[in-house]
Amino acid sequence: MSRTIWKSRRVVRIMACAVYFLLPLLLQAQVLFPSYTVKDGRMQIKIDRNISAATLDSFVAQFDLQHLQLNELVFKNSAEALGKAGWRVAQTNRKTLIITKGFQHFEEWNNPENRIRFTETKPTFAQRFPATNNGLTLGHNRFRNKPAFETSRDSVVRFFLRGHENARQVMLAGSFNNWDPEALPMKRTEGGWEVGVKLGGGKYWYKFIADGHWMVDADNQQRENDGEGNINSIFFQTNTVFLLPGFEGAKNVYLAGSFNQWRPRELAMQRTERGWVLPLYLSEGTHAYKFVADGKWVTDPQNPKQLPDGEGGYNSYVALGKPYLFQLPGFTAAKEVRVAGSFNNWRPFELQMRKTANGWELPYVLGPGNYEYRFLVDGQWTSDPANPPVAGNNSHFVLGANHTFRLKGFDQAKRVFLAGDFNNWNPTSFPMQRRGNEWVLPLHLWNGKQRYKFVVDGQWILDPENKLWEQNEHKTGNSILWFGR
């Protein structure tokens, strides 16, 4: 086949794709938008800045574009959801807003598996669907019409699809098998279909495939948009079971703790023969909690591990992982020393240190992450003299560093900081260190998409060594790193 003929066929294929997917939109969208077209091999939506909220809502509902959060884009100039979905702002002014996104060949869009696989930045499956190590603190399952999937002692989860007795074949696909639609055939059983999958603790995305039709689990209330237009069911393989025995007369019992910002009516426990039970997935670290029985806050009667609650009582706590040793040398004349930081929401009353011959110390379980902290010595805040802060008053440390950010050059810069999703874009909390001809900072990153910038003597800049970036609400762009295996 000649190169000219190949190119011609490719053009025809692209045009066929555009007609197939966009013709219905073009016929219906004329009233809603000035244009909805394909230009230079990219889908393009041109939005009138004077469009009403009602008209925009109608368009979003009609074409199932909720995941783009166009209201946030048009009326608040927030493009966060847009970027996660693979779209970008190509042009904006007072009158119009143009957003664009590339598309695949026609035949590749027929299979939902390929829609799951597609992304312009081409992250891996582990990056887009990380089971753990992604900043997830808490996970719980919410099923109706059937109990949560059972887990055997060898960590095999029994996935169950209720009904569909007339289906000839049912498969299971998810983040645990790279969304392979042929790897996990389900067996017909009483009332539905089932298959076992061995999973470690964490978060997993999945769908059922009945006779070639991809579908979410209708009985699972936990669902999530993956940013590419796919709604997937979510299952959490739990690693901690909370149990409150007794309280037979209680009407409602909830669990609340540091893992859900102490919201008292969010995590409902289930009545069982043993008492009130709730399995959860919790990340590594220390988690304080209490039960809420008919509005009354109750410490765990079976757990001797407690921390002050700041109101004259105590919270129970669980610790998952290895302890980190906080140490403060000296201050031997002090009567009381406490430590607080980003790891415990800066609660100054909670963590009392033990006095030693040379100072003070406290082992405290933390998971991998980037932390800030200070000591409270007889009521006076002090930074760690062994780890003085570069900016501000808080000392900083990293557990489980797995990536080093580097900025070459800028020899004349006095201070360089790193800011991004990982520190809520704080411009002074992550100072970089000068080493040779570059500025460096080791950090712990969660798997997935990371947006960031450097702050050089107060000036925000993109990473000059990273070609991957996306537009932000300030029209100045953010560098992007897809991190993970």
Side-chain angles (χ1 to χ4, degrees):
M1 181 185 299
S2 70
R3 187 175 184 84
T4 301
I5 295 176
W6 182 85
K7 285 185 176 181
S8 298
R9 291 186 176 180
R10 185 171 184 270
V11 170
V12 170
R13 182 175 295 175
I14 292 175
M15 292 178 66
C17 176
V19 170
Y20 182 85
F21 285 102
L22 295 180
L23 184 57
L25 302 179
L26 288 167
L27 293 175
Q28 300 179 55
Q30 294 176 12
V31 178
L32 298 173
F33 291 93
S35 65
Y36 194 141
T37 59
V38 172
K39 183 178 180 181
D40 298 328
R42 300 180 66 86
M43 292 183 287
Q44 175 177 288
I45 299 177
K46 185 178 181 182
I47 308 173
D48 191 330
R49 282 287 192 181
N50 294 321
I51 191 172
S52 68
T55 302
L56 184 58
D57 288 342
S58 176
F59 176 82
V60 168
Q62 187 172 5
F63 301 121
D64 194 25
L65 298 174
Q66 290 85 351
H67 63 290
L68 295 183
Q69 298 183 15
L70 292 179
N71 277 284
E72 294 290 316
L73 174 67
V74 175
F75 302 119
K76 297 182 181 180
N77 291 322
S78 174
E80 180 177 357
L82 197 73
K84 290 182 178 180
W87 291 75
R88 65 180 178 86
V89 177
Q91 178 181 327
T92 181
N93 54 47
R94 293 183 179 181
K95 294 183 178 181
T96 59
L97 174 69
I98 298 177
I99 60 176
T100 67
K101 179 181 179 179
F103 52 82
Q104 289 175 288
H105 298 313
F106 169 82
E107 66 271 13
E108 294 177 339
W109 281 90
N110 289 331
N111 189 341
E113 178 193 3
N114 289 328
R115 293 204 302 272
I116 293 170
R117 290 175 182 269
F118 176 69
T119 175
E120 289 186 0
T121 51
K122 302 186 185 303
T124 66
F125 278 105
Q127 292 166 347
R128 294 191 59 211
F129 300 103
T132 57
N133 193 33
N134 64 336
L136 175 68
T137 301
L138 163 72
H140 71 290
N141 296 303
R142 293 191 299 127
F143 286 84
R144 59 188 177 188
N145 302 321
K146 68 182 180 186
F149 300 140
E150 297 177 357
T151 302
S152 63
R153 291 184 178 180
D154 56 355
S155 300
V156 173
V157 178
R158 174 180 169 267
F159 282 83
F160 177 70
L161 172 63
R162 187 172 57 88
H164 295 272
E165 290 87 351
N166 295 326
R168 295 186 300 274
Q169 183 186 57
V170 177
M171 311 293 290
L172 173 67
S175 57
F176 39 77
N177 73 337
N178 287 350
W179 297 96
D180 188 337
E182 300 179 352
L184 290 173
M186 303 186 74
K187 295 181 179 180
R188 193 187 303 271
T189 186
E190 181 179 357
W193 301 75
E194 70 176 18
V195 66
V197 182
K198 189 168 185 177
L199 300 176
K203 177 180 180 180
Y204 298 91
W205 294 255
Y206 71 97
K207 274 185 175 177
F208 298 116
I209 312 168
D211 293 335
H213 174 64
W214 292 67
M215 58 186 177
V216 297
D217 188 343
D219 296 322
N220 186 349
Q221 300 179 68
Q222 296 281 39
R223 300 178 183 179
E224 189 173 278
N225 192 313
D226 67 356
E228 296 296 329
N230 301 287
I231 303 297
N232 302 312
S233 296
I234 303 295
F235 175 73
F236 292 98
Q237 176 70 309
T238 59
N239 58 3
T240 307
V241 177
F242 290 89
L243 169 65
L244 177 62
F247 288 84
E248 293 86 354
K251 295 181 179 179
N252 296 288
V253 176
Y254 294 88
L255 175 69
S258 56
F259 38 73
N260 76 331
Q261 291 72 55
W262 297 96
R263 290 187 287 269
R265 296 182 62 84
E266 181 180 66
L267 301 175
M269 305 186 72
Q270 300 298 315
R271 191 195 303 269
T272 69
E273 295 180 355
R274 296 186 296 156
W276 295 84
V277 175
L278 179 63
L280 290 182
Y281 167 78
L282 293 177
S283 63
E284 288 186 76
T286 300
H287 306 279
Y289 69 95
K290 276 184 179 178
F291 303 111
V292 188
D294 289 341
K296 181 181 178 181
W297 293 78
V298 181
T299 55
D300 189 341
Q302 298 188 120
N303 186 358
K305 298 179 179 179
Q306 296 183 339
L307 294 170
D309 64 5
E311 299 179 359
Y314 292 90
N315 296 319
S316 303
Y317 75 92
V318 294
L320 306 176
K322 298 180 180 180
Y324 173 83
L325 185 62
F326 286 97
Q327 293 180 301
L328 177 62
F331 296 91
T332 54
K335 296 180 180 180
E336 182 182 73
V337 176
R338 299 178 186 270
V339 62
S342 56
F343 43 81
N344 76 332
N345 202 27
W346 295 96
R347 293 158 69 92
F349 51 81
E350 191 174 58
L351 302 179
Q352 184 170 343
M353 302 184 72
R354 295 194 296 260
K355 193 171 186 177
T356 67
N358 301 315
W360 301 80
E361 68 178 23
L362 176 69
Y364 185 74
V365 174
L366 290 171
N370 313 295
Y371 301 103
E372 295 180 76
Y373 69 101
R374 294 177 77 188
F375 298 109
L376 190 62
V377 181
D378 288 340
Q380 298 295 319
W381 289 100
T382 181
S383 303
D384 187 346
N387 183 21
V390 175
N393 298 312
N394 301 326
S395 298
H396 170 269
F397 70 99
V398 178
L399 283 182
N402 54 14
H403 180 77
T404 299
F405 285 90
R406 301 179 184 275
L407 177 63
K408 295 182 179 180
F410 294 91
D411 300 351
Q412 304 304 316
K414 295 180 180 179
R415 287 185 176 181
V416 176
F417 295 87
L418 178 69
D421 291 330
F422 34 75
N423 71 339
N424 295 320
W425 295 93
N426 187 322
T428 60
S429 66
F430 283 177
M432 303 187 73
Q433 302 296 321
R434 182 75 181 174
R435 293 181 184 173
N437 67 339
E438 60 183 2
W439 297 83
V440 300
L441 177 63
L443 282 186
H444 176 83
L445 295 183
W446 310 117
N447 287 353
K449 182 180 181 180
Q450 305 286 344
R451 298 174 300 171
Y452 68 97
K453 278 180 134 175
F454 299 112
V455 186
V456 181
D457 290 339
Q459 182 72 32
W460 294 72
I461 67 169
L462 294 170
D463 186 345
E465 299 294 323
N466 185 358
K467 296 180 180 180
L468 188 58
W469 69 281
E470 69 179 17
Q471 191 57 278
N472 59 25
E473 64 272 23
H474 305 294
K475 308 298 183 294
T476 58
N478 297 318
S479 294
I480 295 175
L481 169 68
W482 281 98
F483 184 77
R485 296 186 298 274

